[in-house]
Amino acid sequence: KAGVTQTPRYLIKTRGQQVTLSCSPISGHRSVSWYQQTPGQGLQFLFEYFSETQRNKGNFPGRFSGRQFSNSRSEMNVSTLELGDSALYLCASSPGTSGRAFSKGSYNEQFFGPGTRLTVL
Amino acid sequence: GESVGLHLPTLSVQEGDNSIINCAYSNSASDYFIWYKQESGKGPQFIIDIRSNMDKRQGQRVTVLLNKTVKHLSLQIAATQPGDSAVYFCAENSGGSNYKLTFGKGTLLTVNP
């Protein structure tokens, strides 16, 4: 079974531009989460989508948005890029059949993709 | 490879030794904890998880210990191998959902042959 794929792997943008990153989850997985990873702040949760709906949201400004399509593929968009947005953006997929992984003894492991390295100049 | 942290705690061990990586979590309401391994240039990889109604869980060569009294989590790796060299993160579901994880800063494990 193919793993989580993210495109593009590397991206260079300038301040003020916008960017769209794509994530294709593992086949059959319905939950996609996005994380930002930086040396200073570490891994921080952005948002999670399940069945085309945003189910959980982190503490990022409105410039960060996302969406999920009917085939579970997800995109995240960052508008008006700032230098501080330079980071590795990771997505993780999971079967996601429950909002809480431990439901009736089951759990829903999150599988991470390799990430998209965004550099803002 | 990708840089995941410039000032991470580090642990250096000899091949074959046991490794213990520690993590202090933040939210006493968290009830699900996970350890991830991240190698250079890759995304985090699930190692083992534990629920708050347990204090110990074992996997293949790995054991996770949970001490809720002091909000402490540890990962023990038996017979550490060079392939175990990576950054290790603990994560908690402090937001109440297991799809909204709060990650620790990470520990860089280096295994010397």
Side-chain angles (χ1 to χ4, degrees):
Chain A
K1 184 183 272 192
V4 179
T5 57
Q6 293 187 244
T7 56
R9 289 296 310 278
Y10 301 91
L11 202 51
I12 298 175
K13 292 285 187 179
T14 56
R15 281 182 300 175
Q17 287 188 307
Q18 74 166 16
V19 67
T20 299
L21 311 181
S22 181
C23 172
S24 293
I26 292 171
S27 178
H29 285 192
R30 295 164 63 190
S31 167
V32 174
S33 300
W34 288 90
Y35 291 83
Q36 181 196 65
Q37 187 173 32
T38 59
Q41 299 298 318
L43 272 155
Q44 293 187 288
F45 174 81
L46 281 155
F47 28 65
E48 183 240 352
Y49 286 86
F50 177 76
S51 292
E52 302 178 66
T53 301
Q54 189 180 85
R55 188 164 60 175
N56 289 284
K57 188 176 187 306
N59 299 320
F60 278 78
R63 299 186 298 108
F64 292 82
S65 63
R67 60 177 175 169
Q68 186 179 34
F69 301 95
S70 58
N71 62 357
S72 294
R73 188 178 69 87
S74 178
E75 290 181 345
M76 67 162 283
N77 184 277
V78 187
S79 62
T80 320
L81 283 166
E82 301 177 359
L83 296 179
D85 297 333
S86 294
L88 181 67
Y89 289 88
L90 292 157
C91 89
S93 86
S94 172
T97 53
S98 168
R100 297 187 67 79
F102 284 117
S103 174
K104 298 180 181 177
S106 67
Y107 76 94
N108 284 296
E109 175 183 340
Q110 293 196 51
F111 296 84
F112 281 83
T116 294
R117 168 65 67 184
L118 172 65
T119 301
V120 182
L121 303 176
Chain B
E2 304 293 352
S3 170
V4 299
L6 296 179
H7 303 289
L8 293 174
T10 59
L11 175 64
S12 184
V13 301
Q14 291 298 123
E15 182 178 359
D17 287 352
N18 296 333
S19 303
I20 300 177
I21 301 171
N22 296 303
C23 175
Y25 63 92
S26 59
N27 193 330
S28 57
S30 297
D31 61 4
Y32 177 52
F33 306 89
I34 316 165
W35 279 100
Y36 284 94
K37 170 187 179 183
Q38 187 172 26
E39 297 172 282
S40 182
K42 298 182 179 180
Q45 178 185 0
F46 174 96
I47 301 174
I48 191 168
D49 60 1
I50 189 168
R51 301 174 63 178
S52 61
N53 63 352
M54 305 168 70
D55 52 24
K56 179 179 180 179
R57 192 172 187 208
Q58 290 184 287
Q60 187 177 11
R61 282 202 307 118
V62 295
T63 300
V64 55
L65 299 178
L66 175 63
N67 185 331
K68 296 180 289 296
T69 302
V70 295
K71 294 192 288 186
H72 183 267
L73 200 62
S74 69
L75 176 70
Q76 300 177 359
I77 305 174
T80 315
Q81 303 167 0
D84 295 328
S85 295
V87 177
Y88 289 80
F89 296 93
C90 65
E92 62 183 297
N93 68 338
S94 56
S97 165
N98 292 331
Y99 304 104
K100 183 179 181 179
L101 298 176
T102 299
F103 282 78
K105 293 299 184 185
T107 296
L108 175 61
L109 174 66
T110 301
V111 182
N112 303 308

Short mmCIF file of all heavy atoms in Angstrom, two decimals, chain A residues 1 7 21 26 28 71 89 91 107 115:
data_model
loop_
_atom_site.label_atom_id
_atom_site.label_comp_id
_atom_site.label_asym_id
_atom_site.label_seq_id
_atom_site.Cartn_x
_atom_site.Cartn_y
_atom_site.Cartn_z
N LYS A 1 0.87 -1.18 0.00
CA LYS A 1 0.00 0.00 0.00
C LYS A 1 0.90 1.23 0.00
O LYS A 1 1.83 1.32 0.79
CB LYS A 1 -0.87 -0.03 1.26
CG LYS A 1 -1.89 1.08 1.35
CD LYS A 1 -2.66 1.01 2.67
CE LYS A 1 -3.85 0.11 2.55
NZ LYS A 1 -4.74 0.24 3.71
N THR A 7 3.15 16.92 -2.19
CA THR A 7 3.76 17.65 -3.31
C THR A 7 3.53 19.14 -3.14
O THR A 7 2.50 19.56 -2.59
CB THR A 7 3.15 17.21 -4.66
OG1 THR A 7 1.73 17.37 -4.61
CG2 THR A 7 3.51 15.77 -4.97
N LEU A 21 -0.15 23.67 -0.83
CA LEU A 21 0.54 22.39 -0.67
C LEU A 21 -0.48 21.27 -0.74
O LEU A 21 -1.62 21.43 -0.28
CB LEU A 21 1.27 22.33 0.68
CG LEU A 21 2.14 23.53 1.04
CD1 LEU A 21 2.80 23.31 2.40
CD2 LEU A 21 3.18 23.80 -0.02
N ILE A 26 -3.05 7.82 2.61
CA ILE A 26 -3.06 6.39 2.31
C ILE A 26 -4.47 6.01 1.86
O ILE A 26 -5.46 6.49 2.42
CB ILE A 26 -2.62 5.59 3.54
CG1 ILE A 26 -1.14 5.87 3.82
CG2 ILE A 26 -2.88 4.10 3.37
CD1 ILE A 26 -0.65 5.31 5.14
N GLY A 28 -7.93 4.73 1.52
CA GLY A 28 -8.88 4.29 2.54
C GLY A 28 -8.89 5.15 3.78
O GLY A 28 -9.82 5.09 4.59
N ASN A 71 -12.19 12.65 -2.34
CA ASN A 71 -11.31 11.46 -2.39
C ASN A 71 -10.30 11.47 -1.23
O ASN A 71 -9.34 10.71 -1.23
CB ASN A 71 -10.56 11.41 -3.72
CG ASN A 71 -9.65 12.61 -3.95
OD1 ASN A 71 -9.62 13.53 -3.11
ND2 ASN A 71 -8.94 12.62 -5.05
N TYR A 89 6.36 21.44 6.22
CA TYR A 89 4.94 21.21 6.44
C TYR A 89 4.65 19.73 6.21
O TYR A 89 4.90 19.18 5.14
CB TYR A 89 4.10 22.09 5.50
CG TYR A 89 4.17 23.55 5.92
CD1 TYR A 89 5.18 24.38 5.44
CD2 TYR A 89 3.28 24.06 6.85
CE1 TYR A 89 5.28 25.69 5.85
CE2 TYR A 89 3.37 25.38 7.27
CZ TYR A 89 4.38 26.19 6.78
OH TYR A 89 4.48 27.49 7.21
N CYS A 91 2.01 16.40 6.53
CA CYS A 91 0.64 15.93 6.68
C CYS A 91 0.67 14.49 7.16
O CYS A 91 1.64 13.75 6.95
CB CYS A 91 -0.17 16.11 5.41
SG CYS A 91 -0.13 14.76 4.24
N TYR A 107 -7.58 1.93 17.81
CA TYR A 107 -6.83 3.18 17.76
C TYR A 107 -6.57 3.52 16.30
O TYR A 107 -6.69 2.69 15.42
CB TYR A 107 -5.51 3.08 18.53
CG TYR A 107 -4.42 2.31 17.82
CD1 TYR A 107 -3.47 2.97 17.04
CD2 TYR A 107 -4.32 0.94 17.94
CE1 TYR A 107 -2.47 2.27 16.40
CE2 TYR A 107 -3.33 0.24 17.30
CZ TYR A 107 -2.40 0.91 16.54
OH TYR A 107 -1.40 0.23 15.90
N GLY A 115 6.85 15.43 3.94
CA GLY A 115 6.82 16.86 4.15
C GLY A 115 7.13 17.67 2.90
O GLY A 115 7.70 17.18 1.93
#
